[in-house]
Amino acid sequence: SRNMTLELRPNEYVKIEVHFSYKVFVLPTLLMSIGILMFLAVWSGVGQGERFRFIGHIYSVAAIMMIIGGLLFIPYIYKRVDNKLKIYAVTNQRVYVRRGIVNIKEKDIPLAKINDVQIVQSLVQRLFGAGDAIVQVGNDESSMVIQDIAHPREFRDTIISAIYEAAAEQEARSRQQRYYEQQQRRYEQQQNEYNDYSGHNYNNYWPQ
């Protein structure tokens, strides 16, 4: 599981992880398909033996077609690797972001700092069941956009429910701490009263 790269903190667990829609592969797949067609064309004899001159050099049409066909595979391979390495996970404590192939960028957003999560869907995205999630952090000027995710509403609802659950847990801990402090004060007060009472009785029996 890709979650293995996310080091969880004590009492932390992953609630949901973003999966990206097939929409992100539409253009790379189209380009790769053109590349495959160019390979097949060369294999079937197109451009074989044909040459052309460009800036004083002679080039083989078939060789150029093979090079262009190979280059058209790069966007698909890049997107595959990029998608494999990207992590957008929601835990019961934070939203964790990891992205990048060469330069890795990691970001932690505590749930308490998230103000709102909005979903934006274009017509094309709706056809693929995809959408962009806009996570507003701190104030409206600071936001994180996650593009072309699958099941965007489930992602949004998970974040919002996680925020409420984290707030409820924090309130429960605060209430428990207040109760403990109240009990501690009561115990100390009883101890002081007992000591005063014992000292008073002791003095009553002490010969004057």
Side-chain angles (χ1 to χ4, degrees):
S1 170
R2 293 194 304 171
N3 288 335
M4 295 300 290
T5 58
L6 168 55
E7 293 183 9
L8 296 174
R9 299 166 180 172
N11 303 317
E12 184 180 26
Y13 59 90
V14 174
K15 295 177 75 71
I16 194 172
E17 185 178 347
V18 164
H19 294 282
F20 291 89
S21 167
Y22 289 113
K23 177 187 173 295
V24 299
F25 292 109
V26 171
L27 183 58
T29 301
L30 180 62
L31 294 174
M32 186 175 67
S33 300
I34 295 171
I36 292 171
L37 289 174
M38 293 180 80
F39 280 126
L40 291 175
V42 171
W43 182 72
S44 65
V46 174
Q48 295 288 352
E50 296 182 32
R51 303 279 189 276
F52 69 95
R53 183 179 292 277
F54 183 71
I55 317 180
H57 295 278
I58 297 173
Y59 298 92
S60 162
V61 171
I64 294 297
M65 288 178 66
M66 292 287 283
I67 291 170
I68 294 173
L71 291 175
L72 291 175
F73 275 72
I74 292 174
Y76 182 85
I77 295 169
Y78 175 86
K79 187 55 85 173
R80 271 287 176 194
V81 174
D82 182 52
N83 249 39
K84 190 74 175 173
L85 296 178
K86 268 197 295 198
I87 299 175
Y88 290 84
V90 181
T91 76
N92 59 323
Q93 298 179 16
R94 56 183 166 147
V95 173
Y96 172 81
V97 176
R98 180 190 185 280
R99 56 191 168 195
I101 296 176
V102 179
N103 298 318
I104 305 297
K105 294 181 180 179
E106 290 186 284
K107 189 173 183 180
D108 271 331
I109 306 172
L111 293 176
K113 290 190 176 181
I114 297 175
N115 283 353
D116 191 21
V117 183
Q118 296 178 355
I119 299 299
V120 178
Q121 286 181 298
S122 66
L123 176 60
V124 175
Q125 285 176 323
R126 285 202 298 272
L127 292 174
F128 285 91
D132 298 343
I134 304 172
V135 181
Q136 293 182 345
V137 183
N139 53 59
D140 292 342
E141 297 174 4
S142 177
S143 62
M144 178 182 67
V145 180
I146 312 172
Q147 296 180 320
D148 294 322
I149 66 176
H151 314 296
R153 287 183 174 78
E154 182 186 357
F155 176 70
R156 177 196 60 194
D157 294 345
T158 302
I159 290 182
I160 291 172
S161 67
I163 291 170
Y164 281 117
E165 287 170 15
E169 287 177 10
Q170 180 61 39
E171 175 59 29
R173 281 196 297 270
S174 298
R175 202 160 48 236
Q176 189 175 16
Q177 181 65 24
R178 288 196 299 270
Y179 174 76
Y180 172 76
E181 291 171 357
Q182 186 180 13
Q183 291 295 101
Q184 187 69 19
R185 284 195 300 270
R186 186 175 297 172
Y187 173 76
E188 290 172 358
Q189 186 179 359
Q190 288 174 346
Q191 283 294 104
N192 291 335
E193 289 175 357
Y194 174 76
N195 291 337
D196 290 345
Y197 176 77
S198 299
H200 177 72
N201 285 350
Y202 184 71
N203 289 331
N204 284 345
Y205 288 103
W206 187 259
Q208 298 296 321

